Amino acid sequence: MSITRDVSVSVSEVMNGRASQSPRARCPAPFLLKTFDLLEEEEGEGNERDGRRRRIVSWNEDGNGFVVWSVQEFSEFILPKYFKHNNFSSFIRQLNTYGFKKSAPNRWEFQHEKFQKGNKHLLVEITRKKCEPSVFPSFLKAYTKDSAADVEENNHLLLEENKNLRKEKLELQMQIAQFKALEIKLLDCLSQNMGSQSKVRRTC
Amino acid sequence: MSITRDVSVSVSEVMNGRASQSPRARCPAPFLLKTFDLLEEEEGEGNERDGRRRRIVSWNEDGNGFVVWSVQEFSEFILPKYFKHNNFSSFIRQLNTYGFKKSAPNRWEFQHEKFQKGNKHLLVEITRKKCEPSVFPSFLKAYTKDSAADVEENNHLLLEENKNLRKEKLELQMQIAQFKALEIKLLDCLSQNMGSQSKVRRTC
DNA sequence: GGACAGAACGTTCTAGAACATGTC
DNA sequence: GACATGTTCTAGAACGTTCTGTCC
């Protein structure tokens, strides 16, 4: 009974649902593949075309990120080749969606822990950010969305209860004060009425 | 007593505080002025330089918006001339902050109701979007900013206080119970010790 | 095979947030 | 130093497109 077979599915894949689908299962998101391929093409034979491309976009020195050297050319020539648009901002949006971080000021360099030169297999570990919240079953979304309001409501209820408790406490304290006064009166009565009979201690 | 003099200050100006400041009072935001000037330069004599510029950015046909024709040249040559950066996305962010809307797909055209060719005086009507919420006096900002955390914290404190109040209430109720028991004992003592002397009522 | 619903993914436009800078 | 404004990086939100399982 080898139930350990074929369970090499990462947590992240289960999380974002990729693992449960047939063709796309165990495949990186299209965006990641395209971006990776786009960069791998840099590693070509170094002919004129690749040389030109290398000035537009490339892996960084350490191979743990990439740099868009010419936004204009990247947008005009590279993007439409791999995607259905030529907007640099859309490309950036996708990078952020998949958790990439801009890793240098003054130039368009981005990094992701699992996006490394030569390690295409790591791409499956990269998940859409939107998937993290949606680990919550969707039917809980409404609750999550209104949590702020809920907290406020909770607050209000607590405040009400607090007010009532304070009021009750005050009433109890007044009762106790009356009891104390009563005790004194009773003791007075006792000491007076018992007169010469016997001593009375407060504990009776 | 003409108190109606010099009250030509628009509501929006009062709202965003521009009207209360001296030099900048009744002045459009720097960003708006710069963007407007940048476009007004298009209306020059039409010499070579302006001709070139016109291909980069210009008012639209109706004069109720403008178009950045070449993002690359706009970013490289125009932006650093007027602002402290050359990022097109930062320029876009500012446009959105001031309520401009992208008014055409497939090209970088933006419009704002009060941003019109030849009507520089309308610029004072354009306010930062952030100012709408900050109609709230600024001294409330801290509260507003931390409100979520505050509410949570408040909640926690209330919960603690509630717990203590319940505890105190219980203790008070126990005290009262003891007092009641004591009262009964005292009354017993009284009735016993007074014997034949006189009747004792609980109110003594 | 075709229709269709639901989910994942992509594209676009706008806003949030943190920090920097400048101004009074 | 409080406040408005500017700059940067990231996220929200709406909507469109593609994929996939299901039912007929």
Side-chain angles (χ1 to χ4, degrees), chain B residues 172-195:
Chain B
L172 290 174
Q173 285 174 329
M174 285 175 67
Q175 274 192 50
I176 288 176
Q178 291 176 341
F179 271 114
K180 281 183 178 169
L182 179 60
E183 184 191 1
I184 291 174
K185 278 195 180 178
L186 283 176
L187 289 175
D188 279 349
C189 284
L190 259 183
S191 57
Q192 280 180 15
N193 290 320
M194 290 170 75

Side-chain angles (χ1 to χ4, degrees), chain A residues 18 24 31 84 87 90 94 98 128:
Chain A
R18 301 193 78 75
R24 274 191 176 177
F31 171 78
K84 293 187 206 67
N87 290 314
S90 293
Q94 282 284 72
Y98 283 95
R128 274 187 148 225

Side-chain angles (χ1 to χ4, degrees), chain B residues 120-187:
Chain B
K120 201 170 188 171
H121 64 281
L122 285 179
L123 295 184
V124 293
E125 304 290 337
I126 303 178
T127 62
R128 274 189 147 222
K129 276 198 169 180
K130 281 200 173 179
C131 291
E132 293 172 11
S134 86
V135 164
F136 292 102
S138 59
F139 57 82
L140 284 181
K141 233 176 184 176
Y143 171 77
T144 308
K145 198 172 185 180
D146 297 332
S147 62
D150 283 352
V151 170
E152 293 276 8
E153 173 68 3
N154 205 348
N155 227 321
H156 181 67
L157 291 177
L158 278 177
L159 216 64
E160 278 299 313
E161 194 174 6
N162 255 341
K163 216 168 70 181
N164 285 332
L165 284 173
R166 287 173 189 284
K167 192 178 162 191
E168 289 173 351
K169 183 181 162 188
L170 211 64
E171 290 170 352
L172 290 174
Q173 285 174 329
M174 285 175 67
Q175 274 192 50
I176 288 176
Q178 291 176 341
F179 271 114
K180 281 183 178 169
L182 179 60
E183 184 191 1
I184 291 174
K185 278 195 180 178
L186 283 176
L187 289 175

Side-chain angles (χ1 to χ4, degrees), chain B residues 21 32 175:
Chain B
Q21 290 162 14
L32 298 170
Q175 274 192 50

Side-chain angles (χ1 to χ4, degrees), chain A residues 22-35:
Chain A
S22 261
R24 274 191 176 177
R26 306 210 40 75
C27 282
F31 171 78
L32 299 171
L33 271 181
K34 290 175 182 175
T35 305

